[in-house]
Amino acid sequence: MCRHLAYLGPPTPVGVLLTRGPNSLRTQSWAPRDMRGGGTINADGFGVAWWHHPDAAAPDHGPGVIWHGGTAADIRAAAETAGVPADQAGAGAPGTGPVVSRYRNAAPIWTDPAVDEVLPQIRSGAVLAAIRSATVGMPVERAACAPFTHGRWAFSHNGAIPDWRRALSAVAAEFDSPPLLEAESLTDSAALWVILRGLLGGGGDTTAGVAHSGIGESRSFGATVTSRSSISVTSASGAAPEVRTWGSATNGSAGAAFHGAGARDPGEVLRLVMAAVLARSPRARLNLLMGDGAGIWGTTWHHSLSVLETDGFVLVASEPFDDDPRWRPIADRQLLSVRDGRVSVEPLDIEIGKAGS
C-alpha cells in the first residue's frame, strides 16, 4: 500500500535518506519489492518529517503551503504534552523538546526536484518519511500524504482498514477521541491518527491491557465494548495481563478512564488502538510507524518492517534500501520500539476470533 522509513542517529541530510541505496525509498515508489498484494507502485505522493531544536522553527506560512515548519501551535502542543505551562511555550521554552517540521507533495516523489535540491541541505538526527499508494476510493491530495503530525509527533500508516468509517467511528467513541472531522483528509490513515494523537502524552505509567473476553465483547480499562469480533490481548509472556482502571468512566467509555491516566507508553497506545480497530475490522492491515524525535515505534500486521541497527544509528524501513547484512526483518504481528539507541521487538499479542452472530 505504501512504503516508509524512520531514522535515529547523528544529524544527516534529510534528502539523502530518501535516495540512499539501490533500493531507496524513491526507487520503491516505482519498483517496490514487497507490496504483499497492496498495489504495484507508490506514486500517489510522499512526505518527510524531521525534528530540530525549537529555536530553529520557522514561522507558519499559512494554509495551503507545502512547507510546514514548527508553527507556534506545534510548539504550544509540544509544551502541553511535556507539561510546560502555556505562558512558557515558544521557541526555546524549556522542556518542549524537538519540534517537528514536514514537507509533503501529492505528486510522485521522482518528479519533485526538492528531493535532490532542497532536502539534502536540511540535517536532522530524527527523520520519518513515507511514499503513498492510495487505496481505491480515497483522495489523492497532499493532505492525505503521510507523515501526519501533531505536537512533537509524526505518524505513517502502511495498509488499509476495510469499512473504516464505521470501524474508526466506533473506536473513536470507545476512546473518547477528538472529532474525526479534525482529520486532515478523508482517509483511514488520517482518521486513525486523530485517535492515536488523542491518546498520546501526559504523565504517569500505562501498563494495562485488554482482558480476555467472549465472542462479541471485549473489556478495556474497565469499560465494556460491544463488537462483532472476539479479541484478546495478553502480556508479552503470554499470560493474561492485569487490567487496571484510572478514575471512573462517567460516560461509560474506555476513553474517559484512559484520558485520566497520565503519560501513555506509545507502544501500548499502538497496541490498544490496533486491538480496538481489529475487533471491528478484522481484515485491517496495520503497519504503523510513529516517532517523536527521540524514539521510534512501529507495528507489523500483514505488511513488513526491517531494522538496521548499528553502533551509531538505527533505521526502520518497509524494505531494506541496500544489501547490508545487518538488516533484519521483523516478523509479522510484532511491536517494535527504538529508545536510547536500543531496539526492542515483542509480540503484539492481539488475537482476533470469529465474527459473532
Side-chain angles (χ1 to χ4, degrees), residues 41-308:
I41 60 174
N42 300 282
D44 297 317
F46 74 100
V48 57
W50 62 94
W51 285 260
H52 50 82
H53 190 275
D55 286 343
D60 186 20
H61 296 284
V65 179
I66 291 178
W67 184 271
H68 172 82
T71 68
D74 290 328
I75 296 173
R76 285 194 298 271
E80 291 170 0
T81 300
V84 177
D87 59 358
Q88 295 182 21
T96 59
V99 172
V100 64
S101 294
R102 67 179 171 184
Y103 177 88
R104 299 185 295 173
N105 191 343
I109 187 173
W110 68 77
T111 69
D112 192 333
V115 174
D116 293 306
E117 298 175 3
V118 178
L119 294 176
Q121 300 180 46
I122 302 169
R123 300 177 66 87
S124 177
V127 177
L128 194 152
I131 52 177
R132 182 173 186 239
S133 175
T135 301
V136 174
M138 295 192 188
V140 177
E141 59 184 7
R142 184 176 63 86
C145 295
F148 303 102
T149 59
H150 181 76
R152 71 177 189 270
W153 294 97
F155 168 75
S156 175
H157 169 212
N158 172 24
I161 303 174
D163 194 15
W164 66 272
R165 291 175 176 84
R166 178 196 60 81
L168 294 184
S169 293
V171 174
E174 175 181 347
F175 289 109
D176 197 21
S177 300
L180 296 186
L181 289 174
E182 293 184 9
E184 291 187 61
S185 182
L186 192 62
T187 68
D188 53 358
S189 301
L192 179 62
W193 177 232
V194 172
I195 297 170
L196 285 167
R197 66 175 172 81
L199 296 175
L200 293 167
D205 179 47
T206 299
T207 57
V210 180
H212 288 277
S213 62
I215 291 178
E217 178 181 89
S218 62
R219 294 186 180 273
S220 169
F221 302 101
T224 300
V225 181
T226 302
S227 65
R228 289 164 45 189
S229 302
S230 64
I231 183 167
S232 65
V233 177
T234 64
S235 66
S237 65
E242 177 184 1
V243 178
R244 303 178 184 176
T245 60
W246 292 277
S248 58
T250 56
N251 65 355
S253 72
F258 191 49
H259 281 289
R264 270 74 68 180
D265 175 73
E268 192 65 17
V269 169
L270 289 176
R271 191 197 308 267
L272 291 166
V273 172
M274 285 181 63
V277 171
L278 290 163
R280 295 160 175 84
S281 183
R283 294 184 295 110
R285 300 194 296 270
L286 299 170
N287 178 206
L288 311 180
L289 195 59
M290 185 170 73
D292 68 350
I296 299 169
W297 294 266
T299 64
T300 55
W301 195 278
H302 184 83
H303 290 297
S304 62
L305 286 175
S306 293
V307 61
L308 174 61

